[in-house]
Amino acid sequence: MRLRTDDDIYRARLVYLGPPGYTLPVHLPYAQYGLFILLVPLYMFIHWLFTLTVDLFPAWEIALAIVSTSFIFRYVDPDRPARTVIRTALTDWRRTRESAVEQRDPRIVARRIRIREELA
């Protein structure tokens, strides 16, 4: 269960409401717009690497940027900023995972013991 904090600093969000006189139907923080603007050219570059063409209207890239931005900001809160979420995702993605199959450690058993009087 999450407790709602009563601290006004934590509840305050920098939100772009739209141009003066025309409020947008969604209220997104500035950070989401910034991440979206960074992700669209990144996805366009990745698309260009695979196809060597650039679309006039990058619909798939915009859709991927919207989904990626919403997925990242699902885990963002006042105590965990967006850059920490992204850094954690990249770190977890790169680490090695335990194998699904159990592997036994080799047994080390002395078959015979030799005692030397002097070191060679």
Side-chain angles (χ1 to χ4, degrees), residues 48-67:
W48 178 80
L49 284 177
F50 285 112
T51 63
L52 296 177
T53 61
V54 177
D55 295 333
L56 184 63
F57 180 71
W60 284 105
E61 291 84 352
I62 290 173
L64 283 172
I66 290 171
V67 170

Side-chain angles (χ1 to χ4, degrees), residues 13 15-19 21-29 32-33:
R13 296 182 345 158
V15 176
Y16 178 66
L17 300 175
Y22 301 99
T23 304
L24 294 175
V26 293
H27 299 193
L28 300 175
Q32 285 186 3
Y33 288 111

